[in-house]
Amino acid sequence: MNADEYLPNAETIAAIEKDVANYNERRRHAQAEIGRRVPMLLGSYVLACAVVFYFIIANFSSMAEKVALILLIGGGIAAIVGGVGVHRFAHRVGVDTQQGFRDHILPVMFGFVNGLRYSHGYEPGSFRRLPAVLKGDYNHTEFGDIITGRLDGKHFEICEMTLSRRNKSSTIVLFKGVVLCCGVRDSFPGTLVAVRKPEPSLMQPFSDLMRSLSAFFGGDRLETVFSRTPLDQFYEFRSDRREEARALFAGGWATFWAG
């Protein structure tokens, strides 16, 4: 793949820079509007809640005790939920400004992509098709921006994804980053995983040992594969089909990836 074929020309870059400048100006106006809306809306909401609770307390003695307690507790919960809603509504102008810019700029930046679609916060369609060994033992997911489309007739999907394991006392992030799902020219009869190598540290040998033990005793054992390319400096490759993976790298796939 020659990336130069998909880079924007000077005219497109100028249009993007103009759009960014316009967005920054709209964002400043939105921030100023939020600064006016938040105290006005929240202040009015707090005043309205105070009036309601005043009438409840003023008539407390004339109500049945059970009814009065339900009104106080229920009103308190409703006030908190309503306050969150009012706060979000006050910031809505900023969210709409940001979303409007995304909806406009993405087709400009990716004009070479057919059927471009953008979404946010939803589980992408490719997630359930990812091999379980890639996702790990997670129990919580978060999804950010999702972009789908077709390039040279082939469908692809790019998404921001966070996989974590949560319990009552801690949260362990198993993966946080951008995922690209797309078809390949030649199918691979197994699983091939590329993991970005961490920065060197004093604890690195211990971490490598624990990871090796975990892989050995786990249900899915993936063996280390060397691409014999500069990619080995930055990525660790593992596969359940080592020989096929080596053949894949030997065929120039690593050069394609690096480009």
Side-chain angles (χ1 to χ4, degrees):
M1 177 184 291
N2 184 6
D4 293 337
E5 298 177 2
Y6 303 101
L7 293 177
N9 55 32
E11 183 179 353
T12 302
I13 293 176
I16 293 173
E17 291 176 345
K18 183 179 179 180
D19 287 335
V20 171
N22 291 335
Y23 166 69
N24 288 331
E25 183 64 26
R26 293 197 304 270
R27 186 176 62 176
R28 283 192 289 270
H29 286 295
Q31 289 175 340
E33 181 67 17
I34 291 173
R36 292 190 293 268
R37 287 162 61 97
V38 169
M40 181 182 67
L41 292 176
L42 286 180
S44 300
Y45 179 75
V46 170
L47 180 61
C49 289
V51 171
V52 172
F53 277 100
Y54 171 79
F55 280 106
I56 293 176
I57 295 173
N59 295 278
F60 192 85
S61 59
S62 62
M63 300 179 189
E65 183 178 354
K66 185 175 181 179
V67 174
L69 289 175
I70 291 176
L71 287 175
L72 284 175
I73 296 174
I77 296 174
I80 295 174
V81 174
V84 173
V86 171
H87 187 269
R88 289 181 177 176
F89 177 75
H91 284 77
R92 190 66 199 178
V93 61
V95 175
D96 291 342
T97 299
Q98 186 181 55
Q99 187 60 53
F101 177 71
R102 286 175 176 171
D103 293 340
H104 168 74
I105 200 65
L106 285 177
V108 176
M109 295 178 64
F110 299 98
F112 53 87
V113 177
N114 297 321
L116 181 72
R117 295 184 62 184
Y118 167 82
S119 58
H120 180 85
Y122 297 96
E123 179 181 304
S126 59
F127 179 71
R128 296 185 182 276
R129 297 193 296 271
L130 290 175
V133 67
L134 294 182
K135 295 183 283 189
D137 187 19
Y138 71 95
N139 59 10
H140 181 77
T141 60
E142 293 181 18
F143 300 101
D145 295 335
I146 303 170
I147 298 175
T148 61
R150 300 185 70 86
L151 183 61
D152 294 337
K154 291 181 171 52
H155 181 267
F156 72 90
E157 187 170 61
I158 302 174
C159 70
E160 295 177 320
M161 182 171 66
T162 301
L163 303 178
S164 58
R165 182 157 189 84
R166 293 184 173 181
N167 53 42
K168 294 181 179 179
S169 59
S170 65
T171 298
I172 300 175
V173 177
L174 303 176
F175 175 84
K176 183 176 182 179
V178 178
V179 176
L180 167 63
C181 295
C182 61
V184 294
R185 182 181 59 188
D186 300 316
S187 61
F188 182 74
T191 300
L192 176 60
V193 181
V195 180
R196 184 82 177 185
K197 290 183 177 180
E199 294 294 331
S201 65
L202 294 176
M203 294 298 294
Q204 190 60 42
F206 177 75
S207 299
D208 293 341
L209 174 61
M210 294 304 296
R211 183 171 55 182
S212 300
L213 292 175
S214 176
F216 181 80
F217 291 107
D220 297 295
R221 184 180 181 184
L222 301 180
E223 297 179 299
T224 299
V225 182
F226 294 100
S227 68
R228 293 183 174 85
T229 71
L231 288 175
D232 288 331
Q233 300 177 24
F234 308 101
Y235 294 91
E236 177 181 337
F237 298 97
R238 288 175 173 265
S239 177
D240 56 353
R241 304 292 291 268
R242 177 184 287 181
E243 297 304 320
E244 288 84 349
R246 286 174 176 169
L248 191 66
F249 284 118
W253 183 74
T255 303
F256 161 79
W257 190 9

